[in-house]
Amino acid sequence: MATPTAETMRPAPLPSDLEIARQADLKPISEVAARMGLGPGIVEPYGHHVGKIPLEAIESLATRPKGKYVVVSAITPTPLGEGKTTTSVGLAQGFHHIGRTATVALRQPSMGPTFGIKGGAAGGGWSQVVPMERINLHMTGDIHAVSAAHNLLAAMVDNHLYQGNAANLDPHQVAWRRVVDINDRGLRQIITGIGGKANGLPRETGFDITAASEVMAVLALADSLDDLRRRLGRVVVGWTPGGEPVTAEDIGCAGAMAVMLKEAMKPNLMQTLENTPVLVHAGPFGNIAHGNSSIVADRIGIHGGDFLVTEAGFGADMGAERFFNIKCRTSGMTPDAAVLVATVRGLKVHSGRHRVVAGKPLPESMLTENPEDVAIGAANLRKQIENMRMHGVPVVVAINAFPTDYASEHAVIAEVAESMGARVETCTHVKDGGAGAADLARAVEEAANEGSQFAPLYPADMPLSDKIECLATKVYGADGIDCSAQARRQLAAFTDNGYGHLPVCIAKTHLSLSSDPALHGAPTGWRMPVREARLSAGAGFVYALAGDMRTMPGLGSHPAAESIDLNEMGEIEGLF
């Protein structure tokens, strides 16, 4: 493992991400496409530095060799994040520094966090996707297309009720809400149809953020336009009084939704600061949905170089677990290696001795040298390594180095990782770009050549409640689950209606392995409450709600939107 020096651990302050992004020597998107083996005229340009890749590229690239398939996840994140996207970008750049070619596949950032408290999601420092403004804002309009298709179905559902309700949809069991790509707590619960009979049937409903839309999950999991159309038709919008599902096909809206999403099905092509190809496509919520970019992007990227690096949202108990058990099960693609991002500050938080708040400075206690706190918090690291290895995939731990770290603290992480049988490297890709992740790239190459024994965690024919318990006990460390009477009825109804074969997705906090965000490290001696179960028949999974999950975030006391503006030159300022 590379030993950090005083110089690497105490770098001079970096310019802002936006300032760094504007220094980029961007290549024409056709040149970036050529690095993936995409010939002239295949990519549809959206300006000079963004393009869309038609689905025909999957077939045109099929004769090229397959690259190694690498998923990047992390320890359970703090509110500050641990740098999965930055490490994914840095790793892909790092491969080029060791003479290999690589493509990285990421989700499209939601504008909710961009204008909220988290900021952008395109990497950081010298490991970014550019143009930064494009990826963090409207890009090619895919998220807006998802919002429009979702809301068209909502309008058609209300109109169906108003026009006579031929599908016998129970107005009290309508499950389809509306969406918008902005944090807005005032829209969480609303009443529609008030103001008289001409305005429709009054009923209680609400808005979710677009990333939580099932349509977004459908976009990410569909493998063709035909598959997209079929999945949209299977979307369940509600239930009859007798408990039968009513679908988008029954409402007569699935075809129009597919038309609205035709262009959005094409993955977007961008580049890193070092001109490494980046596929940016779809952005399903990491808590409610499966939190991974699209299958079609991966099917294109796997033939675009020696390695395809794809990121899975939140910690390995969430995004990576869903990558293994939902995305890979659906795509049939097999991962060769997994990268687990860890930070000193994240493990200090998991010691339970420090409290961090997004948007506020780190407490002074976290900035002092304290390998003991790192060792206590490393229980989370051990469990997340275990979570990846139980799927049969070799693991490499990437220590995402910060200027406030100490070599003694990195040594603790390395010792824990090696004791678990994982490779480990310290990375400085934020400061040094791909050169700072070259050692990580070498370790990932070794792991990917080791031979994966990948297998999903549970069989498709396992009962839904047993699948939920399997994840709770094996991945989260619970003693078992406690299903409410409502959840038991819902799971039984899903099975009776032919959905029992679907994989499951647990909607829980991302801030703990448990369902309680206050529990740090690797909690034991707890049981997971399942208060409700919901069906995403079009996407192809059942999700269980454990704890108080919000599908529409709110804005903080000082949202990032307050700092975002145009300067006198017409340039965007304040993005971070």
Side-chain angles (χ1 to χ4, degrees):
M1 189 189 90
T3 301
T5 66
E7 188 273 329
T8 61
M9 296 315 302
R10 292 290 182 270
L14 289 175
S16 72
D17 288 348
L18 186 55
E19 290 170 333
I20 291 173
R22 286 183 174 152
Q23 298 176 37
D25 178 19
L26 295 175
K27 304 299 182 187
I29 201 63
S30 58
E31 186 175 325
V32 178
R35 295 187 177 200
M36 294 180 61
L38 294 168
I42 291 181
V43 173
E44 302 168 1
Y46 273 62
H48 297 294
H49 303 121
V50 181
K52 274 197 166 289
I53 305 177
L55 300 190
E56 291 77 14
I58 297 175
E59 185 176 346
S60 69
L61 292 173
T63 57
R64 286 173 56 92
K66 266 188 170 183
K68 297 290 187 181
Y69 194 27
V70 179
V71 61
V72 177
S73 192
I75 62 171
T76 302
T78 68
L80 303 174
E82 310 313 315
K84 289 186 306 300
T85 306
T86 304
T87 303
S88 298
V89 173
L91 172 59
Q93 294 180 154
F95 279 121
H96 291 267
H97 284 263
I98 66 169
R100 303 291 182 264
T101 57
T103 299
V104 59
L106 304 173
R107 291 177 294 166
Q108 180 179 346
S110 164
M111 288 196 295
T114 296
F115 290 108
I117 197 167
K118 185 179 177 183
W126 294 96
S127 292
Q128 291 187 57
V129 181
V130 285
M132 181 188 178
E133 300 98 318
R134 292 290 300 275
I135 189 173
N136 282 305
L137 298 174
H138 305 279
M139 210 161 75
T140 57
D142 292 353
I143 290 183
H144 301 313
V146 170
S147 297
H150 182 115
N151 291 335
L152 174 64
L153 179 56
M156 291 280 280
V157 167
D158 281 330
N159 186 62
H160 189 89
L161 293 171
Y162 179 77
Q163 300 291 354
N165 195 10
N168 195 28
L169 175 61
D170 184 348
H172 301 291
Q173 295 192 73
V174 175
W176 198 252
R177 292 154 58 92
R178 286 167 169 80
V179 297
V180 65
D181 190 37
I182 293 292
N183 295 359
D184 191 344
R185 62 170 53 83
L187 293 177
R188 286 172 179 164
Q189 293 297 130
I190 65 170
I191 297 175
T192 59
I194 61 175
K197 184 177 180 181
N199 292 342
L201 182 69
R203 65 182 184 87
E204 186 176 350
T205 180
F207 275 74
D208 300 324
I209 195 166
T210 303
S213 167
E214 184 180 350
V215 177
M216 182 67 85
V218 166
L219 181 70
L221 290 169
D223 62 13
S224 65
L225 284 174
D226 286 343
D227 189 33
L228 173 75
R229 174 62 180 81
R230 286 191 297 270
R231 288 174 180 272
L232 292 171
R234 295 199 299 262
V235 166
V236 172
V237 300
W239 306 83
T240 68
E244 297 294 319
V246 178
T247 66
E249 200 73 69
D250 296 329
I251 299 297
C253 190
M257 294 170 73
V259 169
M260 297 178 79
L261 293 168
K262 182 174 182 291
E263 293 301 307
M265 267 296 289
K266 301 173 182 177
N268 304 291
L269 179 63
M270 299 185 73
Q271 61 191 290
T272 73
L273 287 167
E274 298 180 11
N275 312 120
T276 306
V278 184
L279 296 167
V280 184
H281 199 214
F285 215 54
N287 292 56
I288 303 299
H290 62 294
N292 283 261
S293 59
S294 76
I295 285 174
V296 292
D298 283 5
R299 287 193 167 169
I300 291 169
I302 200 70
H303 294 284
D306 298 323
F307 290 86
L308 172 62
V309 179
T310 189
E311 177 204 354
F314 291 131
D317 57 307
M318 302 194 79
E321 180 275 310
R322 294 162 190 180
F323 171 83
F324 295 135
N325 292 299
I326 296 178
K327 185 177 181 180
C328 291
R329 191 190 297 267
T330 302
S331 70
M333 297 175 68
T334 300
D336 295 291
V339 174
L340 186 71
V341 180
T343 59
V344 165
R345 68 183 189 179
L347 294 177
K348 283 183 175 179
V349 171
H350 280 294
S351 72
R353 295 179 173 181
H354 308 275
R355 183 174 180 268
V356 298
V357 178
K360 294 185 178 181
L362 289 174
E364 285 296 321
S365 61
M366 283 187 64
L367 303 179
T368 59
E369 184 173 9
N370 195 332
E372 180 184 348
D373 283 0
V374 177
I376 296 170
N380 187 271
L381 173 64
R382 290 188 183 90
K383 186 68 181 83
Q384 297 290 32
I385 293 173
E386 178 185 312
N387 286 340
M388 284 184 154
R389 295 194 69 183
M390 71 174 61
H391 292 91
V393 180
V395 179
V396 180
V397 172
I399 303 174
N400 183 17
F402 281 75
T404 51
D405 298 350
Y406 292 86
S408 63
E409 296 168 336
H410 288 181
V412 172
I413 298 175
E415 182 179 352
V416 169
E418 289 167 350
S419 72
M420 295 289 293
R423 294 172 174 83
V424 58
E425 291 292 343
T426 300
C427 312
T428 59
H429 46 277
V430 174
K431 181 179 75 75
D432 300 317
D439 288 340
L440 175 63
R442 292 186 185 94
V444 171
E445 182 175 34
E446 289 179 1
N449 289 331
E450 183 179 295
S452 172
Q453 304 297 318
F454 170 71
L457 198 56
Y458 52 80
D461 60 358
M462 178 182 282
L464 291 172
S465 59
D466 291 352
K467 292 173 184 173
I468 296 169
E469 185 154 23
C470 175
L471 294 181
T473 56
K474 292 187 177 180
V475 177
Y476 308 151
D479 290 342
I481 62 173
D482 295 317
C483 282
S484 69
Q486 178 188 16
R488 287 195 298 270
R489 287 194 302 270
Q490 290 164 330
L491 293 171
F494 299 159
T495 301
D496 291 344
N497 281 291
Y499 302 114
H501 66 287
L502 295 179
V504 296
C505 181
I506 312 296
K508 74 172 186 70
T509 178
H510 62 285
L511 297 174
S512 174
L513 276 163
S514 74
S515 55
D516 181 351
L519 298 181
H520 299 295
T524 58
W526 62 280
R527 296 180 64 83
M528 188 176 80
V530 179
R531 62 181 176 87
E532 186 180 348
R534 296 181 185 175
L535 176 66
S536 291
F541 53 79
V542 169
Y543 64 96
L545 276 70
D548 183 21
M549 285 303 307
R550 295 288 189 187
T551 54
M552 169 56 83
L555 293 171
S557 56
H558 293 286
E562 292 180 353
S563 303
I564 297 174
D565 206 340
L566 294 174
N567 64 22
E568 63 276 8
M569 303 294 293
E571 297 173 327
I572 296 171
E573 293 183 335
L575 280 179
F576 65 95

